[in-house]
Every structure is written in structure tokens, then in C-alpha cells.
Amino acid sequence: SFDMALSSILTEAEIAAGLQSCQAADTFDYKTFFVKVGLNSKSKDQLAKVFEIFDQDRSGFIEEEELKLFLKNFSASARTLTDAETKAFLAAGDSDGDGKIGVDGKTALMKR
């Protein structure tokens, strides 16, 4: 399962802190979230692994539909992102405007 893969990179405490920072609708801020879960301090290899987990259809890109379910990768009980949150997240990582996030955009996103 996805949870298993993420838990090899992040601690439960980190995941809980991240999810807690955005429990209410429209409070998700990817920068805050990445800092809370400690993703901004991970290695490139670890970030690539995380990217693979989010890229559920293995297309090499994270599409809007996958972003919407972003928090569910961390916990099955987490909420889906609102449209506004999803679009803001997508815009931040979509470096070439094709409506999805490639690996390059993802790494840039997490290291900001």
C-alpha cells in the first residue's frame, strides 16, 4: 500500500503534524505541509520515491485527480483537497503549464 512506502520515509509524527496543519477545508498550504512532514529536508532519491507514490497511475506525472487525493496518501482517513487547493498546488508545481506536475516540478516544489 502507499502508506507503507511513505512510512519508510516519514515518521508517523511527521505525517500527523502535516495532516493536522490542514484539517479544515482550504487551509492546505503545500509549503507548510512539506515543512511539517519534513519533506523539504529529504534527499533527491527519497523525493523521487515520494513522487512515485503520488503518481498512482505511473504516468510520470502527477495529475489534478491525483493531487486531489494527495492527503490520502498520508492517511486513508484524510480529506480530499478542495478544488481551490488542488489548483493552487498544481499551479505551484506545473513548471511548463501542461496541467500536471512532472518529476522536475515536484522536486522544485519540495525544495522551495
Side-chain angles (χ1 to χ4, degrees):
S1 79
F2 293 124
D3 286 354
M4 293 302 299
L6 268 176
S7 62
S8 67
I9 299 170
L10 305 173
T11 67
E12 265 179 56
E14 285 172 326
I15 291 173
L19 291 173
Q20 217 164 356
S21 71
C22 57
Q23 278 176 315
D26 292 320
T27 58
F28 175 77
D29 174 71
Y30 74 90
K31 289 181 186 160
T32 306
F33 187 85
F34 288 155
V35 170
K36 295 263 191 213
V37 296
L39 276 178
N40 56 341
S41 61
K42 302 297 178 207
S43 71
K44 252 194 160 47
D45 287 349
Q46 286 173 311
L47 290 181
K49 221 176 247 146
V50 169
F51 181 90
E52 280 170 28
I53 295 166
F54 299 145
D55 176 20
Q56 297 181 355
D57 62 4
R58 298 277 178 265
S59 64
F61 295 96
I62 299 178
E63 290 89 6
E64 197 166 333
E65 215 31 63
E66 289 168 331
L67 273 185
K68 209 181 201 38
L69 302 174
F70 178 76
L71 296 176
K72 290 197 172 293
N73 287 299
F74 295 90
S75 166
S77 60
R79 67 183 179 85
T80 53
L81 293 181
T82 66
D83 286 346
E85 288 170 326
T86 307
K87 292 209 185 321
F89 196 3
L90 184 63
D94 178 11
S95 44
D96 54 4
D98 62 359
K100 52 194 185 209
I101 299 176
V103 177
D104 299 343
K106 191 62 182 182
T107 315
L109 201 62
M110 289 183 184
K111 285 293 186 194
R112 256 180 214 161

